[in-house]
Amino acid sequence: MDEAGVEELNELFATSNTPLEHNVVVELRSIMQLHSLSAQDLYFKWESYCMRLEMADMKLSVEALGALKQDLLDALERSNRSQVQIKTERRTGATPRAAAKNGGDVFGMLEGMVPSTPGARKLNRSAVKKRNPLETPSVSRVKNNVPGSSPDYKSPLRFETQPDFTNAVPATSFNDRQNPGEIIEVLNQHLQPAEPPIAPFGEPRIKLTATSDQKKLNYKTLAMKSSEAAGILDERIDDFIALVKDHYNIDEDEFGNATSQSTTEIVAVGRIASDSSEGRLNAASVVLETSRRTGNGRRIPLQLEKLNDCYQFFPGQIVAFRGINSSGKEFLVREVLSIPLLHSAASAPAAIEAHRERLRGGPDAMDSDEEPAPLNIIFGSGPYSADDNLDFEPLHALCGQAADTYADVLVLTGPFIDVDHPLIATGDFDLPEEALAEPDTATMSTVFKYMISPALNRLVASNPHVTILLIPSVRDVINRHVSWPQEGFSKRELGLGLGLPKTAKIVGNPMTFFINEMVLGISSQDILWDLQHEELVGNKPATPNLLSRISRHLIEQRHYFPIFPPVDRSRLLKAGTAEGIPTGAVLDTSYLKLGEMINVRPDVIVVPSALPPFARVVESVLVINPGYLSKRRGAGTYARMTLYPPQLTEEEASSNEMVGHKVFERARVEITKI
């Protein structure tokens, strides 16, 4: 490998501007040669390996790379064995009728397409596999009369009594977690963290206004028509044609059909796709898909040599190219036209002054000459309990943090009761004693009421004016709406007397709303993981940093889930259930328009992901991945934002022009271990 190759390895793997050791470079080269990997692909393998071990900060060493090499060899051996097994099964000639009898679909056509989305199941013992006779099966098990919703409660049933499907590091007790409260990343470190007030404010300090129409999310799921889905996909391409035309002031005659042979250079707008249904997108398989209006929906292979390896594409991305199709067989791309971005969010000076006054916490809260105290906003994302229990200890700890610091807003994204949790999948768990009024009618709503709601109610008892936002996930068992975009929870369907405090608001997924002047966009769907694994990157991408680059895709595409089709379930992180296959994206293509960003770029975008947590400023947008509050085998992370009040100059205050929010300049974000 030449010096340029070594420089690329240092750029990808080195930390703190310290070059890699010679032995480490030799080991990296060895792995690349052994498995025919590029430096970028090897970096992805290393990141995936670290995340699988839940050690995102693992030090790069010869010993660690040796373990990675062995892991890749083991994966290759398993793949070869599975191929041999498939060939053997095909020779045995098993009939489709037998497959159907065993509970599968006749020809295996639904695998990877239809997620496992069980409804709210009754927790009766007949639905559960017989336990160890030494254990006493019951609907509720109480230890020292401590309810299961308490953080001090330790469920007698531990997952060590169940088969281990993870092959990961051993589970650790939540109370034995290392370095709780440690801050692992800070954005805008020059801003000081806010001191919590002595007592809670006398009234709420935020005004919450939804900009998304939640009623449109109440659509009928599992009723998608192919004609409607095709129309939505075509409409998205046509909308971007109008955007490109207006932004670049291109004449209508310059636009053309990329699939038609011509000697004239044209501007073509379409969707990136792959010519193969399997494998990752690569330079040889990338094609441009046209709409029915511009190219009858046909596809044309793309020739990218003229771009000097400076590009980043992913399936579903809407792109604009300037190029030519002289052969009729491929479209030669000579230039990539950047998609215009939405305008930054702004407000009238009078509105900003009103928000500043609201931050004082009431007319008698503080002297009007003093600077208002900053907002304290906490972001947490499920799962909220490790695989070996349903004690929801991380959720209780996070609510405790919100109570102790008198947080103004607590934003919680699902899954709250995860369909991929091993104990939920088997139904092998117990309810607190207080939930046994009607044991035969207990459902997942009962679990929410007696295991999750108490933590929220205790928070409101300590901090009466905190606003709690609950955003569902497609992995939530308690939500009848299983498709994304997704309607919020229904209190009526969750059962009467759910016990949620009045300050708790249930919103849709995704959702964009105002918190005072700040525009917050949030989606619980893990788009970042899909983008990382499906992105095709040239050797010299315009944005070298991976996390910033995939975050920019959301902003440029104006959508919270722009990838299409999503990553197959078998390629996602393994779940703790017996099958190990997690719930996928569950997209309803006919309603993907509900996932678009509206009118302006959000000031803040929150997208929880299995990737390492981070906070980045991308195109003046603050993008936050708070991480998961609970990992499968241990405690996770959350994000805390300290948002200082906006400042108006005399000129801005006296004018009637809109003023940009510039949240990225006045927000301190801390990624913290729970």
Side-chain angles (χ1 to χ4, degrees):
M1 183 179 292
D2 56 13
E3 294 183 1
V6 176
E7 182 180 350
E8 184 179 7
L9 288 176
N10 276 285
E11 182 180 349
L12 290 170
F13 290 93
T15 57
S16 303
N17 296 323
T18 303
L20 298 175
E21 298 178 2
H22 175 71
N23 293 340
V24 173
V25 173
V26 172
E27 191 67 20
L28 289 171
R29 288 178 174 179
S30 174
I31 299 176
M32 292 168 61
Q33 184 177 5
L34 180 63
H35 295 280
S36 300
L37 296 173
S38 66
Q40 186 75 52
D41 289 338
L42 178 57
Y43 177 70
F44 289 153
K45 297 282 187 184
W46 168 252
E47 273 197 334
S48 177
Y49 176 71
C50 292
M51 284 186 289
R52 197 163 68 249
L53 295 183
E54 298 182 354
M55 299 175 66
D57 54 351
M58 181 186 291
K59 182 179 179 181
L60 188 67
S61 63
V62 175
E63 293 77 11
L65 289 176
L68 172 64
K69 180 188 290 186
Q70 186 61 45
D71 182 77
L72 294 176
L73 290 174
D74 292 343
L76 182 61
E77 183 179 357
R78 288 194 299 269
S79 177
N80 292 336
R81 286 179 180 176
S82 63
Q83 292 179 5
V84 172
Q85 183 179 2
I86 291 173
K87 292 180 180 178
T88 305
E89 290 176 353
R90 287 177 177 174
R91 284 197 296 267
T92 58
T95 62
R97 188 184 303 270
K101 185 177 180 180
N102 291 333
D105 58 288
V106 176
F107 295 103
M109 296 176 63
L110 301 182
E111 179 59 35
M113 298 174 60
V114 181
S116 174
T117 52
R121 291 170 288 183
K122 294 185 178 181
L123 306 181
N124 50 42
R125 310 312 302 172
S126 61
V128 181
K129 182 173 60 177
K130 189 174 181 180
R131 294 189 192 175
N132 189 319
L134 297 179
E135 296 182 2
T136 304
S138 61
V139 180
S140 173
R141 183 180 295 153
V142 180
K143 184 176 181 181
N144 297 330
N145 295 324
V146 179
S149 59
S150 168
D152 300 323
Y153 172 71
K154 299 295 179 185
S155 172
L157 176 61
R158 289 297 175 188
F159 196 62
E160 284 78 6
T161 63
Q162 304 293 328
D164 183 10
F165 304 115
T166 63
N167 295 322
V169 294
T172 58
S173 169
F174 182 77
N175 291 331
D176 297 334
R177 66 194 186 278
Q178 295 183 355
N179 305 321
E182 178 186 1
I183 298 176
I184 61 177
E185 182 176 330
V186 180
L187 178 72
N188 288 337
Q189 195 168 5
H190 64 280
L191 298 175
Q192 296 299 317
E195 293 292 334
I198 301 176
F201 291 96
E203 60 183 43
R205 299 201 304 148
I206 71 161
K207 179 181 179 181
L208 190 68
T209 307
T211 61
S212 302
D213 189 350
Q214 295 197 68
K215 294 182 180 179
K216 292 183 178 179
L217 294 173
N218 185 22
Y219 61 86
K220 186 177 181 181
T221 60
L222 305 179
M224 182 172 60
K225 297 180 180 179
S226 57
S227 58
E228 294 177 355
I232 290 296
L233 295 176
D234 282 350
E235 182 180 350
R236 183 162 168 80
I237 295 177
D238 295 340
D239 288 344
F240 273 69
I241 291 177
L243 291 174
V244 172
K245 177 184 176 183
D246 294 340
H247 179 75
Y248 290 99
N249 196 23
I250 300 176
D251 191 78
E252 183 73 31
D253 296 336
E254 294 186 52
F255 289 91
N257 180 5
T259 64
S260 297
Q261 183 177 4
S262 174
T263 57
T264 304
E265 186 178 79
I266 63 170
V267 174
V269 179
R271 176 179 293 103
I272 293 293
S274 175
D275 64 0
S276 173
S277 60
E278 299 179 356
R280 287 185 57 179
L281 187 70
N282 58 71
S285 65
V286 61
V287 298
L288 183 70
E289 180 180 273
T290 62
S291 67
R292 284 176 291 184
R293 184 178 70 85
T294 60
N296 295 321
R298 292 185 297 172
R299 295 179 171 184
I300 185 71
L302 294 177
Q303 179 58 258
L304 306 174
E305 291 181 355
K306 296 293 184 180
L307 295 181
N308 298 321
D309 294 333
C310 181
Y311 54 81
Q312 45 269 333
F313 301 135
F314 61 88
Q317 179 183 9
I318 308 300
V319 292
F321 294 142
R322 193 183 295 276
I324 190 171
N325 181 4
S326 57
S327 65
K329 298 180 179 180
E330 61 182 11
F331 187 79
L332 177 62
V333 181
R334 293 179 174 173
E335 182 186 1
V336 179
L337 302 179
S338 299
I339 301 298
L341 303 179
L342 286 167
H343 296 293
S344 297
S347 297
I352 291 180
E353 285 293 346
H355 294 315
R356 281 179 56 87
E357 187 63 31
R358 187 177 293 107
L359 289 178
R360 303 184 188 279
D364 301 327
M366 60 186 299
D367 190 344
S368 59
D369 294 333
E370 295 183 14
E371 186 69 10
L375 281 177
N376 178 10
I377 305 175
I378 296 178
F379 301 98
S381 177
Y384 293 98
S385 194
D387 274 6
D388 64 334
N389 66 80
L390 283 175
D391 298 332
F392 295 97
E393 295 165 305
L395 176 63
H396 284 276
L398 185 66
C399 290
Q401 285 290 323
D404 294 342
T405 59
Y406 295 113
D408 296 287
V409 185
L410 175 63
V411 181
L412 299 176
T413 61
F416 294 92
I417 303 179
D418 190 359
V419 68
D420 291 334
H421 193 288
L423 302 184
I424 295 295
T426 61
D428 196 3
F429 63 93
D430 302 309
L431 291 174
E433 185 179 26
E434 58 266 28
L436 291 182
E438 298 179 356
D440 294 335
T441 60
T443 64
M444 290 299 169
S445 301
T446 311
V447 176
F448 191 99
K449 178 178 179 180
Y450 289 98
M451 291 186 170
I452 295 178
S453 292
L456 306 180
N457 283 305
R458 274 194 288 271
L459 166 61
V460 174
S462 301
N463 186 7
H465 297 297
V466 62
T467 299
I468 303 173
L469 298 177
L470 305 179
I471 296 93
S473 164
V474 295
R475 288 161 48 188
D476 270 307
V477 176
I478 56 175
N479 197 353
R480 68 174 180 83
H481 196 117
V482 298
S483 300
W484 191 95
Q486 186 179 26
E487 185 186 16
F489 302 126
S490 171
K491 290 186 178 181
R492 181 179 301 175
E493 291 188 6
L494 285 175
L496 297 176
L498 179 61
L500 281 177
K502 292 183 178 180
T503 57
K505 311 293 183 183
I506 301 175
V507 299
N509 174 31
M511 182 58 59
T512 304
F513 41 80
F514 283 92
I515 296 181
N516 290 348
E517 81 286 349
M518 179 183 71
V519 181
L520 173 64
I522 188 166
S523 171
S524 65
Q525 201 76 4
D526 190 352
I527 178 59
L528 301 181
W529 177 271
D530 283 19
L531 285 172
Q532 183 210 18
H533 285 76
E534 293 295 320
E535 187 187 35
L536 170 63
V537 183
N539 292 331
K540 298 178 181 179
T543 308
N545 184 273
L546 171 67
L547 300 178
S548 297
R549 187 172 65 247
I550 59 179
S551 299
R552 191 185 188 281
H553 289 321
L554 306 183
I555 301 169
E556 182 189 69
Q557 295 292 298
R558 309 178 176 205
H559 205 282
Y560 292 103
F561 202 91
I563 195 169
F564 186 85
V567 175
D568 187 83
R569 295 166 58 198
S570 61
R571 297 173 58 190
L572 300 176
L573 281 174
K574 298 298 181 183
T577 54
E579 298 79 9
I581 301 178
T583 301
V586 202
L587 296 185
D588 196 316
T589 312
S590 300
Y591 292 90
L592 283 183
K593 199 171 183 65
L594 298 178
E596 294 180 348
M597 299 177 188
I598 304 174
N599 299 329
V600 296
R601 272 177 281 169
D603 295 308
V604 180
I605 295 178
V606 178
V607 276
S609 173
L611 295 180
F614 66 88
R616 296 280 192 280
V617 177
V618 182
E619 298 292 349
S620 74
V621 177
L622 178 52
V623 183
I624 302 175
N625 168 23
Y628 294 156
L629 196 64
S630 177
K631 299 180 181 179
R632 292 181 51 195
R633 294 293 182 176
T637 58
Y638 67 96
R640 181 192 303 275
M641 174 191 288
T642 302
L643 181 61
Y644 283 83
Q647 300 282 355
L648 290 177
T649 64
E650 293 183 2
E651 181 181 354
E652 290 173 337
S654 59
S655 71
N656 294 324
E657 296 183 359
M658 304 292 280
V659 179
H661 298 159
K662 298 181 180 180
V663 170
F664 63 93
E665 293 181 350
R666 51 189 177 90
R668 174 188 171 98
V669 181
E670 301 169 344
I671 306 296
T672 310
K673 292 183 178 180
I674 186 61

